[in-house]
Amino acid sequence: MDAISYQRAADINGAIAAAQRPGAVFIGGGTNLLDLMKGGITHPVTLIDITRIAALDRIETLPDGGLRIGALVRNSDAANHALVRTRYPLLSQALLAGASPQLRNMATVGGNLMQRTRCQYFYDTAFAQCNKRSPGSGCAAIGGFNRMHAILGASAQCVAVNPSDMSVALAALDATVQVSGPRGARAIAFTAFHRLPGDQPHFDTTLQSGELITSVDLPPPMFSDHAHYLKVRNRASYAFALVSVASALQLDGRHIRTVRIALGGVAHRPWRASVAEQHLAGRTLSAATLREAAAAELAQARPLNGNAFKVGLAQRAIVRATMLAAGPYGAAGSPTGDFA
Ligand code: SF4
């Protein structure tokens, strides 16, 4: 059994100072960290409890009309907050698609960003090969059971996917992650927060050592009228996504003024579908145009032996999610999307 010390931080500066000790990690809701500790996957020396830092537990409007969601806000509180539900329905939908009610009541926004992949070989220490758990050891998933794994942006070192639903919506919404650390505060564009695996899959994010997430900032709302989060999974609740899509539109009738699409369950980070977005911007919304855009995005997919089905599934999910986001302009409810 590991010896672990515990320290409760009273404020942000105190937490950052305590994190300079070797082996120190922050703990909020602990819904992923405690699993990792019990499984022997991570071995912190000191747990720095940040749950009493009141400054991190707020949702507040920003001067530019955006919204700041503190890192300690619980997933359920964020999902059900009036300003999130009315101005950022995409985020509310994605949060409510994640985990279970009990977990959402405990898990924090900052912790959601930091949760680690659910690759079964990563969690099962009986498997020696896992570059994310033991750098340089290999990857058991590449030749193993990889139905849930990546089809985009993977490497020969790791084919794991990011498990977060919330992060897919935040990628589409162009959120910003605010962090504080020993060298001060900085802002990280959401799409630059999570990494592709490359040859260092043991790093999930671009956080520097000792940095603490303080909030997630949303820009002024643009997509409150036309947004949809679609999650395709093996069962109706409490399952990670095979594929998910966050789709948001600004429309003039059927003319697409602005479009944002991000995918989950397909890559080591939330995958911003920039190829599809470029294909759709300025076009007239139609099923054929959506299918073309989805096919163009997935042309870069490199499926494994067990997950080729995800390529077509992701294309159909992009069409379906965007059709539902468009509402009456997308003939929501049409199973075929043939609404043009
Ligand atoms: Fe480990 Fe990544 Fe391979 Fe899974 S996919 S076994 S996390 S290296």
Side-chain angles (χ1 to χ4, degrees):
M1 198 166 79
D2 296 333
I4 302 165
S5 65
Y6 170 87
Q7 183 174 340
R8 181 178 290 164
D11 54 33
I12 293 172
N13 287 338
I16 293 169
Q20 302 315 301
R21 293 153 60 177
V25 300
F26 301 118
I27 183 165
T31 54
N32 189 210
L33 178 60
L34 294 181
D35 280 347
L36 294 165
M37 291 169 63
K38 286 186 280 189
I41 297 141
T42 190
H43 303 273
V45 176
T46 303
L47 294 179
I48 304 164
D49 183 347
I50 59 172
T51 57
R52 305 300 171 92
I53 304 177
L56 302 182
D57 196 12
R58 297 177 187 147
I59 295 179
E60 53 196 357
T61 305
L62 293 167
D64 68 355
L67 197 68
R68 170 162 292 170
I69 304 175
L72 281 179
V73 173
R74 307 288 169 169
N75 285 191
S76 51
D77 291 336
N80 293 309
H81 193 280
L83 292 177
V84 176
R85 290 179 72 97
T86 56
R87 298 183 185 179
Y88 305 95
L90 186 66
L91 177 58
S92 181
Q93 291 171 26
L95 279 160
L96 293 173
S100 65
Q102 292 88 346
L103 283 167
R104 292 195 294 269
N105 286 341
M106 196 69 196
T108 64
V109 165
N112 193 321
L113 296 189
M114 296 301 292
Q115 66 177 306
R116 307 209 69 187
T117 183
R118 307 300 162 151
C119 171
Q120 68 273 22
Y121 301 107
F122 174 71
Y123 281 86
D124 190 344
T125 56
F127 288 94
Q129 288 188 317
C130 176
N131 286 321
K132 189 178 281 293
R133 179 165 31 84
S134 304
S137 63
C139 173
I142 289 177
F145 185 71
N146 49 41
R147 183 170 184 269
M148 297 294 290
H149 288 70
I151 57 172
L152 290 163
S155 73
Q157 304 296 312
C158 180
V159 293
V161 296
N162 184 293
S164 171
D165 292 291
M166 179 191 77
S167 292
V168 183
L170 292 174
L173 292 170
D174 274 342
T176 302
V177 184
Q178 301 289 345
V179 305
S180 286
R183 284 177 291 281
R186 67 184 180 115
I188 306 172
F190 198 86
T191 48
F193 183 78
H194 295 100
R195 297 178 67 255
L196 292 179
D199 58 4
Q200 292 187 311
H202 50 295
F203 292 122
D204 295 336
T205 74
T206 55
L207 272 182
Q208 301 294 310
S209 176
E211 283 186 324
L212 173 68
I213 299 170
T214 55
S215 72
V216 172
D217 290 359
L218 296 164
M222 296 171 59
F223 305 107
S224 50
D225 291 336
H226 297 293
H228 191 80
Y229 186 73
L230 176 66
K231 181 174 182 178
V232 183
R233 46 188 158 177
N234 282 332
R235 60 180 181 225
S237 71
Y238 196 29
F240 294 100
L242 289 165
V243 169
S244 68
V245 179
S247 184
L249 298 160
Q250 285 185 315
L251 295 172
D252 294 319
R254 282 191 172 165
H255 175 78
I256 301 171
R257 187 148 39 98
T258 311
V259 57
R260 305 266 182 76
I261 298 172
L263 307 179
V266 295
H268 197 260
R269 69 181 183 203
W271 186 264
R272 186 70 178 264
S274 52
V275 174
E277 290 179 5
Q278 287 169 19
H279 192 90
L280 292 170
R283 304 282 295 276
T284 299
L285 188 69
S286 74
T289 305
L290 286 174
R291 281 195 286 266
E292 290 168 9
E297 185 66 46
L298 271 297
Q300 56 195 310
R302 300 289 178 269
L304 303 161
N305 63 309
N307 66 3
F309 73 96
K310 279 192 177 186
V311 178
L313 183 63
Q315 292 181 56
R316 294 189 294 278
I318 289 172
V319 174
R320 179 74 172 155
T322 308
M323 183 176 73
L324 290 166
Y329 301 109
S334 162
T336 62
D338 291 314
F339 51 86

